[in-house]
Amino acid sequence: MSKALEEFFRTILPEDHILMEEPMERHTTFRVGGPAACFITVDTREQLAKVFSYLQKTGWDFFVVGNGSNLLVSDKGYRGVIVRLGEDFKQIRVNQDRLIAGAGAILAAAAQAAQQEGLTGLEFAAGIPGTLGGAVRMNAGAYGGEMAQIVNSVEVMGMDGEILQLDRETMEFGYRTSAIKNRPYVVLSAEMKLKRGDREDIARLMQELAGKRREKQPLEYPSAGSTFKRPEGYFAGKLIMDAGLRGKSCGGAQISEKHCGFIINKGNATAADVARLIRETVETVQDKFGVTLEPEVIFLGDFSG
């Protein structure tokens, strides 16, 4: 079956865009994860529509990945197709006070482009390591800013290849969620409405936020950023610290001593180590404080056993 899959992809994609049994540790910021049965990079909308059509007909599981910054892939791998958005989806352009970026554009690059054009409103995103598509899908945010505040419209593709324009209201943004999170749409691009500002002031704020990140977050280790969503009325990191879990380890995975909201890979962690530490952290905080922590991390593959 995988041979037929590979042969089909060869009819629409360059050979170097098709990787069989590709280790996912190369494509996640946790730097863990077993092999994907097939890992492809699509550069155009036409290619993407053909890929979706084929996957729908054949019933293969698939997952669209950005920078892998919010993803934990099982050590057993993923027995489906990983779809990465390539060149056409990385474009960033500015039209007056609007910044239009493809879903594959790194969020930090979009923030940099806004700064160079003297546009303010995207500074909060300068240190978020993910892509625009993932950021829109989960309404990413930091330091008081979030995508919901600036997204004007989102272009998505359905599994039938149809392209739709969704406005801000249709997106139903909420805390780390949106209307498309549980619907069969893939983000293609988004238009963000920003404001005119002073380039130097914008750069200064970005540097200030970058300094705060370096000071407070364990950026020197592989991680998926904040591991847990913020429970209403609480801060996840403080709950974890107050539960006495600072520095707790499972194999090579550790709750950061610098910021308890982060689980880090100390260098030799497995996905199973990370998953177990997440599970034990949730259980301990629930037992001690009656608060249920919900992971921000997406689990992909088989984590049983």
Side-chain angles (χ1 to χ4, degrees), residues 2 5-22 24 27 36-44 46-55 60-66 78 80-87 89:
S2 60
L5 188 75
E6 184 177 1
E7 286 174 0
F8 169 75
F9 287 146
R10 285 178 186 275
T11 67
I12 61 168
L13 300 172
E15 193 165 333
D16 63 355
H17 282 35
I18 307 162
L19 302 172
M20 306 304 289
E21 298 300 324
E22 174 69 3
M24 286 303 292
H27 304 284
C38 184
F39 185 105
I40 62 171
T41 302
V42 295
D43 285 330
T44 70
E46 292 74 24
Q47 290 172 352
L48 186 61
K50 288 176 182 176
V51 165
F52 283 163
S53 174
Y54 181 80
L55 294 175
W60 273 88
D61 287 334
F62 68 93
F63 186 83
V64 180
V65 70
Y78 177 63
V81 180
I82 297 289
V83 181
R84 179 174 60 186
L85 302 181
E87 285 312 307
F89 300 96

Side-chain angles (χ1 to χ4, degrees), residues 151-279:
V151 168
N152 197 49
S153 64
V154 180
E155 192 178 32
V156 300
M157 181 181 288
M159 295 304 101
D160 58 359
E162 184 182 5
I163 294 175
L164 304 172
Q165 290 277 353
L166 308 180
D167 60 22
R168 188 195 307 239
E169 287 70 32
T170 309
M171 285 296 296
E172 298 173 8
F173 285 118
Y175 176 65
R176 298 297 175 266
T177 191
S178 73
I180 60 173
K181 194 168 182 184
N182 298 307
R183 292 183 189 170
Y185 293 135
V186 170
V187 176
L188 301 178
S189 69
E191 179 187 272
M192 290 155 279
K193 190 176 188 307
L194 304 174
K195 295 178 181 176
R196 285 283 157 203
D198 180 83
R199 284 186 182 85
E200 291 186 8
D201 288 344
I202 296 166
R204 200 174 299 117
L205 178 55
M206 287 167 67
Q207 288 166 5
E208 181 186 320
L209 295 180
K212 284 183 180 179
R213 282 189 174 90
R214 284 193 299 272
E215 179 188 341
K216 296 180 179 179
Q217 299 178 6
L219 302 181
E220 64 273 28
Y221 292 103
S223 78
S226 296
T227 308
F228 301 98
K229 295 179 183 178
R230 186 180 67 240
E232 194 170 343
Y234 299 91
F235 291 99
K238 186 170 190 318
L239 285 169
I240 294 166
M241 181 175 67
D242 291 347
L245 297 175
R246 182 196 291 272
K248 175 180 170 62
S249 295
C250 286
Q254 182 187 57
I255 292 174
S256 168
E257 296 182 11
K258 194 173 187 179
H259 190 314
C260 291
F262 284 62
I263 287 179
I264 59 175
N265 178 355
K266 291 281 282 185
N268 61 342
T270 64
D273 291 339
V274 176
R276 184 177 148 215
L277 187 53
I278 289 174
R279 187 171 62 251

Side-chain angles (χ1 to χ4, degrees), residues 261-295:
F262 284 62
I263 287 179
I264 59 175
N265 178 355
K266 291 281 282 185
N268 61 342
T270 64
D273 291 339
V274 176
R276 184 177 148 215
L277 187 53
I278 289 174
R279 187 171 62 251
E280 291 183 4
T281 301
V282 170
E283 289 169 356
T284 302
V285 169
Q286 180 69 49
D287 288 346
K288 292 208 174 212
F289 304 114
V291 178
T292 303
L293 291 179
E294 186 182 346

